[in-house]
Amino acid sequence: MTPSPPIAELSDRARDIFRRVVDGYLASGLPVGSKTLAQAGLNLSPASIRSVLAQLEDWGLLAAPHTSAGRMPTELGLRLFVDGMMQALEPSAEERATIEARAGLAGPVEEALAATTAALSGLSACAGLVMVPKHEQVLRSIGFVPLSHGQALAVLVSEDGAVENRVVDLPPGVGPAALVEAGNYMSATLSGLTLAAARARIERELAQGRADVDSAARALIERGIAVWSEDGERRPVLIVRGQARLLDDAATADLDRVRELLDDLDGKQEIAALLDSARAGDATRIFIGAENKLFALSGSSVIAKPFRGSDGRVVGVVGVIGPTRLNYARVVPMVDFTAATLARLMG
């Protein structure tokens, strides 16, 4: 295969035919043949069109499925198209109003994020994704309140006055005195630290034997560490909406690919890691197919954009996932607008 040239080095004829093939494929999901191109008004003979298609295929920009004489863009061809030829289509006034209305819903922020993500999913015909970190509290105090035999309520108070309650299973032999001792020790030791820093300090002090508590309180503290570690694994908040939109007519012809994609969406930690990689900078990131190993089998594309709070720090990432043949020109600006809307919400 001859190395593919940059888009600027393609002849006008090759560029025109390549663009028509990509546009036709993205619109229909079907390969585009030379007969279709000849009927589209190209002032070229079918033989000349076939010659250009063969050259584009030799460069790795197009491929010919075994069941069709037509051509479709490869992932390399889609990348070349997105980076060098795509003409963005700004969201309509109605689309912008829909996204802004969902983001402006009263109630908890996570509900507004979920509603906005659902709106983005519906408008883009993709699955919508948004990821935001949970607020990292700075601890003021920690206490334990007995609930019933074998359980207690861990009450965490942060410096901003927020309170979190978590049920903790009590180790054998832990009585009311141990609850008080463990709470006093942890409040004195951890006040002013974030949850992550607090967990690290407790683990270090217990390992070095510097925790001046009896065995029952120590057991309770260790149980609390397990609860907080589980909480840390649930960070950040990842919301996925609209998976069913991935099951369109074209997708049902390749159920194995769709099954792979839905399995990928169940791997929340892997999706979160992918979105986290889009946090750097302000640009919209577009991952096409095997460019990200997570979606190499399902042949999917992800468009993701970070959004910032009023202090300029990145507070989350919003995006969509869909087939590689999604309408990039329409969806990329839609993701950009949603990111700007969520920035105002989170500001």
Side-chain angles (χ1 to χ4, degrees), residues 125-162:
C126 299
L129 310 167
V130 67
M131 182 187 75
V132 292
K134 283 188 176 178
H135 178 62
E136 190 70 72
Q137 304 100 325
V138 175
L139 301 178
R140 178 191 297 170
S141 65
I142 299 173
F144 294 93
V145 179
L147 288 178
S148 61
H149 180 70
Q151 286 190 325
L153 192 66
V155 182
L156 284 75
V157 182
S158 62
E159 287 192 343
D160 62 3

Side-chain angles (χ1 to χ4, degrees), residues 169-189:
D169 292 326
L170 297 178
V174 173
L179 294 179
V180 174
E181 183 179 7
N184 290 341
Y185 169 77
M186 297 174 77
S187 293
T189 305

Side-chain angles (χ1 to χ4, degrees), residues 240-259:
V240 182
R241 292 290 183 273
Q243 293 97 316
R245 298 186 185 280
L246 301 171
L247 299 172
D248 61 8
D249 293 338
T252 56
D254 190 357
L255 291 178
D256 288 339
R257 182 191 66 78
V258 175
R259 191 175 295 110

Side-chain angles (χ1 to χ4, degrees), residues 3-340:
S4 58
I7 194 69
E9 294 183 12
L10 293 178
S11 67
D12 290 343
R13 174 184 296 180
R15 188 182 299 111
D16 186 28
I17 291 177
F18 175 65
R19 180 183 58 77
R20 289 173 184 264
V21 171
V22 175
D23 286 342
Y25 172 73
L26 294 182
S28 68
L30 300 174
V32 178
S34 57
K35 182 177 180 180
T36 300
L37 293 170
Q39 294 172 345
L42 284 173
N43 190 25
L44 294 172
S45 68
S48 296
I49 294 174
R50 287 194 293 271
S51 175
V52 174
L53 290 174
Q55 187 175 38
L56 291 169
E57 185 176 354
D58 188 50
W59 284 332
L61 301 178
L62 299 180
H66 296 302
T67 58
S68 171
R71 302 304 204 282
M72 56 189 287
T74 62
E75 291 180 359
L76 177 63
L78 287 174
R79 170 55 62 188
L80 190 70
F81 173 80
V82 167
D83 290 347
M85 299 183 69
M86 185 179 73
Q87 295 181 339
L89 302 173
E90 293 301 319
S92 67
E94 183 179 356
E95 290 168 340
R96 294 195 300 270
T98 298
I99 292 171
E100 289 176 330
R102 296 295 184 90
L105 291 176
V109 170
E110 284 189 24
E111 291 184 11
L113 289 172
T116 307
T117 306
L120 176 61
S121 169
L123 293 171
S124 65
C126 299
L129 310 167
V130 67
M131 182 187 75
V132 292
K134 283 188 176 178
H135 178 62
E136 190 70 72
Q137 304 100 325
V138 175
L139 301 178
R140 178 191 297 170
S141 65
I142 299 173
F144 294 93
V145 179
L147 288 178
S148 61
H149 180 70
Q151 286 190 325
L153 192 66
V155 182
L156 284 75
V157 182
S158 62
E159 287 192 343
D160 62 3
V163 179
E164 283 195 27
N165 301 320
R166 310 176 195 180
V167 176
V168 178
D169 292 326
L170 297 178
V174 173
L179 294 179
V180 174
E181 183 179 7
N184 290 341
Y185 169 77
M186 297 174 77
S187 293
T189 305
L190 308 181
S191 180
L193 300 179
T194 65
L195 198 58
R199 186 167 62 244
R201 176 174 291 186
I202 282 187
E203 290 175 341
R204 186 170 59 251
E205 295 209 353
L206 290 177
Q208 296 173 354
R210 296 193 312 208
D212 188 19
V213 293
D214 65 20
S215 59
R218 177 189 176 96
L220 178 59
I221 293 169
E222 290 175 336
R223 186 62 54 89
I225 291 174
V227 172
W228 297 330
S229 297
E230 179 185 347
D231 179 78
E233 291 174 0
R234 291 197 295 264
R235 300 171 183 268
V237 176
L238 175 64
I239 299 171
V240 182
R241 292 290 183 273
Q243 293 97 316
R245 298 186 185 280
L246 301 171
L247 299 172
D248 61 8
D249 293 338
T252 56
D254 190 357
L255 291 178
D256 288 339
R257 182 191 66 78
V258 175
R259 191 175 295 110
E260 290 284 356
L261 174 54
L262 295 178
D263 287 344
D264 290 339
L265 287 177
D266 285 338
K268 295 294 183 68
Q269 291 183 339
E270 290 80 4
I271 296 286
L274 173 62
L275 293 181
D276 193 58
S277 69
R279 291 170 59 90
D282 293 315
T284 302
R285 297 287 302 277
I286 303 173
F287 304 92
I288 300 176
E291 290 179 353
N292 184 274
K293 63 180 182 180
L294 178 60
F295 300 114
L297 295 178
S298 62
S300 307
S301 288
V302 175
I303 300 172
K305 177 72 177 283
F307 54 93
R308 299 176 180 271
S310 57
D311 58 0
R313 293 186 301 117
V314 173
V315 295
V317 179
V318 65
V320 299
I321 178 171
T324 54
R325 62 172 186 82
L326 61 82
N327 188 336
Y328 297 91
R330 178 172 175 269
V331 176
V332 170
M334 194 175 294
V335 170
D336 289 346
F337 180 79
T338 306

